[in-house]
Amino acid sequence: MKKCGKTSLTVIALVTLSILISNANAATITSCTLDRQIYNQGETGCISVTVYNDKDAKIRVYEITATINYFYADGTTYMQTFFTNATLPIEIPQGESQTFHIPFTLPTNIAPGYARFLVRAKTEIWNEAAQRWYQSENPTTEIFPYIESPYKQEFEQQQAINEQLQNQINEQEDTINQLQNQLKNLQASYNNMTLLVYIIVTITIVLGITMAFTMKMVTKPRATPQPPQ
């Protein structure tokens, strides 16, 4: 009985030790980036997180979150957590990585300046001896988006409106110039046509006079010669 008891204790100790060893350095976040660095109030964005398995066993990620502490313009704070859009859990084999995406939406009255996202990955590791999953590390990292001032947003929006109006004015001026050029071309064509009409009328009058004179000369009665007395 004592021998069996010692054997059982030894097996339990070995399993426990293998679990503890397996839990060490099971996962790390090797990359955490934003889809852009500057955001406006009320905008949506996305965080990309890469989890690497650096242990001699497969792991699985069962939760990926990004928690932000909002500082509102009136000075109050509010904490909100966003989750990945991936279907979890997702297994990561030994020595491989997996990238996750976390969409988020900023409040419309969030205070301008730098905000802080705390990104966390919750993982489990597979224990071959016990043939089951055990809780593993929860690696974390931080990322800092910049929230643009609403006054700058209004200024940029007004600048965009002014630029659009200026473009419309330029287009109208171009249209007016084109119409003026077309009018000049029409005036030149009209002048050429008028000159041509004058020339044709003049030629017609000259031809008429010439024909009238010719007809008069042709139809003029000739003197009949008198016989000698």
Side-chain angles (χ1 to χ4, degrees):
M1 291 294 293
K2 290 183 179 180
K3 186 175 181 181
C4 291
K6 290 182 179 180
T7 303
S8 300
L9 290 174
T10 302
V11 172
I12 294 173
L14 290 174
V15 171
T16 304
L17 181 61
S18 65
I19 293 172
L20 293 175
I21 294 174
S22 298
N23 282 339
N25 299 325
T28 56
I29 295 177
T30 57
S31 175
C32 183
T33 58
L34 294 162
D35 57 346
R36 57 186 182 277
Q37 291 299 322
I38 299 177
Y39 297 87
N40 294 322
Q41 294 173 327
E43 281 191 334
T44 59
C46 184
I47 301 173
S48 298
V49 185
T50 301
V51 179
Y52 174 69
N53 179 8
D54 60 358
K55 187 57 183 173
D56 295 336
K58 64 181 179 180
I59 65 171
R60 67 179 182 182
V61 178
Y62 65 90
E63 184 176 284
I64 289 279
T65 59
T67 302
I68 185 172
N69 291 321
Y70 294 128
F71 292 90
Y72 287 104
D74 60 1
T76 58
T77 59
Y78 176 73
M79 185 176 69
Q80 186 174 1
T81 300
F82 300 95
F83 296 85
T84 180
N85 53 10
T87 302
L88 301 178
I90 292 179
E91 295 185 7
I92 304 177
Q94 171 195 353
E96 296 187 11
S97 299
Q98 179 70 40
T99 299
F100 302 88
H101 302 286
I102 307 174
F104 63 88
T105 301
L106 297 173
T108 56
N109 58 343
I110 187 173
Y114 282 100
R116 181 179 69 92
F117 273 111
L118 176 63
V119 180
R120 183 187 304 274
K122 292 185 178 182
T123 65
E124 293 177 328
I125 189 168
W126 177 253
N127 185 273
E128 192 67 30
Q131 287 293 298
R132 57 169 294 185
W133 293 98
Y134 285 93
Q135 180 65 39
S136 185
E137 290 183 334
N138 298 328
T140 61
T141 188
E142 294 181 344
I143 197 166
F144 302 90
Y146 184 79
I147 313 302
E148 194 66 86
S149 170
Y151 300 106
K152 184 176 181 180
Q153 296 177 39
E154 294 175 0
F155 175 74
E156 291 178 347
Q157 290 174 356
Q158 188 61 48
Q159 275 192 324
I161 293 174
N162 294 340
E163 184 177 354
Q164 184 177 4
L165 291 174
Q166 186 62 45
N167 291 335
Q168 292 177 354
I169 292 173
N170 293 337
E171 290 177 358
Q172 291 178 356
E173 289 180 349
D174 292 340
T175 302
I176 292 173
N177 291 332
Q178 291 176 1
L179 291 175
Q180 288 178 344
N181 292 332
Q182 292 177 1
L183 181 61
K184 289 180 181 179
N185 293 333
L186 290 174
Q187 185 66 41
S189 299
Y190 174 77
N191 293 336
N192 293 334
M193 184 64 68
T194 302
L195 179 61
L196 181 61
V197 170
Y198 287 158
I199 293 174
I200 293 174
V201 170
T202 302
I203 293 174
T204 302
I205 293 173
V206 171
L207 288 176
I209 294 173
T210 303
M211 290 182 64
F213 180 77
T214 303
M215 291 297 296
K216 184 176 180 181
M217 292 298 296
V218 170
T219 58
K220 182 178 180 182
R222 297 180 180 180
T224 304
Q226 297 294 329
Q229 296 292 330

